[in-house]
Amino acid sequence: MSAPAKGLQELLDVSAGRREADCYLKGGSLVNVLSGEIYPANIAIWRDKIAYVGSSEKMVGANTAIIDAEGFYLCPALIEPHSHPWGIYNPVSLAEAALCRGITTVVCDNLFFFAHLGAKGFLKIVDALDNLPVRLYWAARATHQSPDINEENIFSIDNLQELFSDPRVIKIGEITRWPLIVEGENSLLEKICLAKVRRKGFEGHTAGCSYDHLNVIAAAGAESCHEAITAEDVAQRLRLGFWTMLRHGSLRPDLPELLRAITEKRLPTNRMLLTTDGSRPSSIAREGLIDGMLRMAVAAGIDPVTALQMATINPAMYLGMERDLGSITPGRQADILLLPDLEKFVPHMVFAKGKIVAADGKLSVMPVAPDWGKMGFQTVLPDPDLLSNPSLFGAPSDREQVFPVIDAVSAVITRRQDRLLKPRDGLLEREDDLLYCTLIDRHGKWVTNGFISGIGQLEAIASTYNTSFNLLVLGRDRSSMALAAAEAAKMSGGIVVVENGQVSFRMPLTIGGMASDRSFSTVVAEMKELENKTREYGYHYNDFSYTLLFLVCDFLPGLRITASGVIDVKKRQVIVPAQELQ
């Protein structure tokens, strides 16, 4: 008998009561997300699978671990269908936070790892993370988040072919530059067709997309979208066949509005999912992940079983994994929560792959991180000596001129504000409400200089945490900016704040300048400190880390600072070109 057949025989023996179960959950109330019922039931587990659900105890033996589930609800573990596991935290530290909150399956965006390491290096990371208690699947990007000179080489058909050969890579990741689809850009369409041939779908990302353009994205085969911000947006996406993700994160806390699609529009929930879409560490610590969204949904009047369906069986069906995940039924993976109630959704116990991985908010099994350095993460940044020159952080000019200032009107949206600025010593001087704004190529080949308003008055901050992976430096003093930039380079990437001419805050992001190699609790404490500092200096939006992340991208409205220069996104026009560095 083959090993798979032998394993199946053993599972059936447990189900029929001919063999002892490994574990038996007794006396709980089963939340059946398939039938919509709650009723008394016991659960028998064999290895990593559910063998039996019902009242029989024939499979309970002398060696069976019996868990008293009386007074608890037994429900499937939660699934996060859309995550970015490089938002200061890394996949392992995110797993720490997820498991304690009852999330045992996470679909991860591969952009950061793939852009740094290429196809083979990324798959090496996938292998290294495969033994985590949490189950990770991956969505492979087909384009860069922002245009890159090496984009076609990095995101080539050959590279995607290699990624799609791994069963843990299940989709093309969100295509943020959706106008390319509407325009019928040939290279991208070839990649979408490759995904179809390999039976992989693709995620939509349709921020600002009109209904007519949504039709085009749907026609291209996009399976999902997480960019609805109103109840009507939800309705439009459902009507066009999208699996529609209701999002609530630190940048877009939209769930109260989106739930109106259910409570007021009375739309069916069978194609709705829940996602936090890469919330920041401090927000996760404060509000949770999918568990927090369940709390909000039930408080808004959503039936608890309906809410759980959106976090369990619905994403399992969307991912094509309902035969393994999303419900407590025989043959499925034994990913199970013991919940004291269906209001707070704080698990008493979390099973993943048939094992207890967390209890009462504490991990029972600590995820082991790989050696990130051996994985190939070596942050590339210019020499600190180059960055120590204050004149690098100014727009050259020997005359008074009108300059297009980046004016922040939210954490991520900007607009153009033309200002008449005066020169001094060959560089334009900022006015009191402005900051200098500089983006430096990580290889030291170019620099873009501009000005920004609306984000407070930090003396200086340098950050490698942005979608271009270059060095972004903001501040009101060029010498302090030079100090911050040089310090960021010395510590191989991260975030540095300078106050009163001294470095007052360091957050090393040694994993490619985007993620910390430290524990989730450490990252939370550091992010809280950074957020407090930015608020002290006048930042009044909801997420400073997203301001840093997206200031350099070209898929959100307004002016952006990029490798091309300061650009107007809507006009697709370079207003202030980047300068070459010698």
Side-chain angles (χ1 to χ4, degrees), residues 4 25 36 45 94 114 133 136 140 162 178 214 232 253 257-258 329 379 385 412 415 429 464 468 472 503:
L25 308 183
I45 297 173
L94 178 60
F114 179 56
L136 300 182
E162 186 169 359
W178 58 262
L214 275 175
E232 180 59 25
E257 163 62 24
L258 300 179
T329 43
T379 308
D385 289 342
V412 297
R415 64 187 176 191
E429 287 290 290
T464 55
S468 72
L472 178 66
V503 173

Side-chain angles (χ1 to χ4, degrees), residues 302-477:
I302 307 298
D303 176 76
V305 178
T306 300
L308 280 167
Q309 287 169 332
M310 292 191 287
T312 56
I313 190 61
N314 289 9
M317 294 183 69
Y318 158 65
L319 297 170
M321 297 178 183
E322 66 272 21
R323 292 183 180 181
D324 294 314
L325 301 172
S327 65
I328 297 178
T329 43
R332 272 62 176 180
Q333 288 287 316
D335 287 21
I336 300 167
L337 307 183
L338 275 66
L339 294 174
D341 58 63
L342 296 180
E343 295 178 355
K344 296 179 181 177
F345 296 95
V346 177
H348 163 61
M349 194 173 290
V350 179
F351 282 80
K353 304 179 183 179
K355 305 293 184 184
I356 298 172
V357 295
D360 296 324
K362 295 183 179 180
L363 291 174
S364 305
V365 178
M366 184 60 66
V368 178
D371 186 323
W372 298 107
K374 288 183 178 179
M375 291 292 104
F377 281 108
Q378 303 296 329
T379 308
V380 176
L381 286 171
D383 189 288
D385 289 342
L386 170 68
L387 300 172
S388 296
N389 179 5
S391 65
L392 183 65
F393 304 93
S397 181
D398 56 5
R399 60 181 177 80
E400 185 178 71
Q401 69 177 83
V402 174
F403 197 94
V405 169
I406 302 169
D407 182 29
V409 296
S410 78
V412 297
I413 303 300
T414 69
R415 64 187 176 191
R416 176 172 179 165
Q417 185 184 94
D418 289 334
R419 300 281 286 269
L420 182 63
L421 301 178
K422 297 179 180 180
R424 190 175 76 178
D425 299 328
L427 300 173
L428 289 176
E429 287 290 290
R430 72 179 188 92
E431 295 184 333
D432 288 344
D433 62 327
L434 304 182
L435 296 180
Y436 301 114
C437 179
T438 299
L439 185 67
I440 304 170
D441 174 42
R442 59 186 179 274
H443 301 288
K445 295 181 178 180
W446 51 261
V447 60
T448 299
N449 277 297
F451 297 85
I452 187 168
S453 65
I455 62 168
Q457 284 291 299
L458 278 167
E459 183 176 324
I461 182 169
S463 175
T464 55
Y465 181 70
N466 59 76
T467 60
S468 72
F469 313 138
N470 294 307
L471 180 60
L472 178 66
V473 192
L474 311 171
R476 51 189 169 83
D477 181 82

